[in-house]
Structure formats: C-alpha cells, structure tokens
C-alpha cells in the first residue's frame, strides 16, 4: 500500500489504516507525519501517534494509572547521551484493537486530555501568544518606543 505524501515510511500502513477505521465513530480523526511516525489528530489536535507497530495516546495524571494497570509503558527513545521517557504518552494495549468500543473510549479520553493541554497552553500565551508577541515586535521595529 502506498503511503500518503504526509506519512512516514516507518509506520505500519496497515496498522494506521485499521486504527483510523476503528476510530471513525469519534468523528474527524486523521493522521499526519509526526517525527518518524504518524500523528493521530482530532480536529487538528494531536492526541496520539504511531511509531512502527506501536500506538501511543496522550495521558494525564488522571488517565495514566489506567494505562499502567494495563501494563502499558510510556513512550521512550534513546539519544546518543541518554534514554528519554515521555510520560505524556503511553502505549495503547494492543488487545484494545480487538475491542472497538473500549478503544474509542480510551481515544476519546486522550482527545479530551490533549484538548485540555492545548487550551492551557493558549491560556498561558503558548504558541498563539508567541505569534502575537512576534507580530507586535514586527510592527514596532524602527519606531521609537514610548519613554525611550
């Protein structure tokens, strides 16, 4: 199967397509390139990703224990200097691929977590705040500043 232009070749296309089919009841779930994998998005919010044959979903302090109880591990990768563990994403227990309703429940929860995190970043002046500040700086370049 040929990959879309925005997909990574390191992702199992069969897994990605199967997962998107299973998540269709959630609504507009899509995938796009995400580092060396494929990000899972809901209305442009990344709530998970696929790396090779593993699926990772966004977690928070409230949802993380459910993943740990299922034996899931956080996403981790190695650099030349050390091993990095990303506690914000946990591997989806693969048996959930055989339980579509439960899978959708877990994914729905991951979407909610990702949306809360994104909203918190916006409220704190995250990327949107940085863009506004940069636009403000661009407008004031070359102009005398008050009190200067």
């Amino acid at each position: 199967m040929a990959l879309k232009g925005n997909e990574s070749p390191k992702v199992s296309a069969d897994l990605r397509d199967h997962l998107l089919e299973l998540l269709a009841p959630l609504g507009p779930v899509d995938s796009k390139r995400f580092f060396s994998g494929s990000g899972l998005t809901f209305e442009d919010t990344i709530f998970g990703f696929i790396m090779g044959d593993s699926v990772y979903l966004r977690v928070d302090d409230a949802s993380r224990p459910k993943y740990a109880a299922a034996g899931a591990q956080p996403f981790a990768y190695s650099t030349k200097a050390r091993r990095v563990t990303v506690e914000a994403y946990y591997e989806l227990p693969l048996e959930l691929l055989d339980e579509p309703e439960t899978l959708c429940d877990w994914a729905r929860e991951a979407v909610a977590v990702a949306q809360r995190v994104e909203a918190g970043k916006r409220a704190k002046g995250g990327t949107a705040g940085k863009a506004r500040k940069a636009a403000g700086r661009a407008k004031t370049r070359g102009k005398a500043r008050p009190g200067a």
Side-chain angles (χ1 to χ4, degrees), residues 12-13 28 74 104 108 126:
S12 165
C104 284
R108 195 174 289 110

Side-chain angles (χ1 to χ4, degrees), residues 49-67:
F49 57 89
I50 305 167
M51 291 286 176
D53 289 325
S54 296
V55 179
Y56 296 87
L57 295 181
R58 187 72 161 94
V59 300
D60 61 8
D61 290 342
S63 61
R64 190 175 293 113
K66 176 170 67 174
Y67 287 78

Side-chain angles (χ1 to χ4, degrees), residues 53-124:
D53 289 325
S54 296
V55 179
Y56 296 87
L57 295 181
R58 187 72 161 94
V59 300
D60 61 8
D61 290 342
S63 61
R64 190 175 293 113
K66 176 170 67 174
Y67 287 78
Q73 297 295 313
F75 175 68
Y77 62 94
S78 296
T79 68
K80 289 181 181 179
R82 64 189 177 101
R83 182 111 173 119
V84 177
T85 300
V86 182
E87 291 283 332
Y89 289 91
Y90 265 67
E91 189 169 9
L92 179 74
L94 288 180
E95 60 270 13
L96 292 184
L97 295 177
D98 295 327
E99 303 172 24
E101 288 181 24
T102 305
L103 170 66
C104 284
D105 290 342
W106 285 45
R108 195 174 289 110
E109 183 177 44
V111 168
V113 169
Q115 289 173 333
R116 281 193 303 272
V117 169
E118 194 171 278
K121 286 180 182 178
R122 280 194 306 267
K124 291 179 181 178

Side-chain angles (χ1 to χ4, degrees), residues 136-146 148:
R137 284 192 303 270
K139 286 181 184 178
T140 59
R141 276 194 194 123
K143 295 181 182 178
R145 291 193 179 136

Side-chain angles (χ1 to χ4, degrees), residues 10-80:
K10 294 184 180 184
V11 169
S12 165
D14 290 337
L15 174 59
R16 182 197 63 231
D17 293 345
H18 182 61
L19 188 60
L20 291 175
E21 183 179 313
L22 292 172
L23 296 176
L26 294 180
V29 175
D30 201 4
S31 68
K32 65 181 183 179
R33 186 177 295 259
F34 184 78
F35 298 101
S36 64
S38 187
L40 298 171
T41 63
F42 179 84
E43 297 178 347
D44 294 326
T45 298
I46 294 177
F47 68 93
F49 57 89
I50 305 167
M51 291 286 176
D53 289 325
S54 296
V55 179
Y56 296 87
L57 295 181
R58 187 72 161 94
V59 300
D60 61 8
D61 290 342
S63 61
R64 190 175 293 113
K66 176 170 67 174
Y67 287 78
Q73 297 295 313
F75 175 68
Y77 62 94
S78 296
T79 68
K80 289 181 181 179

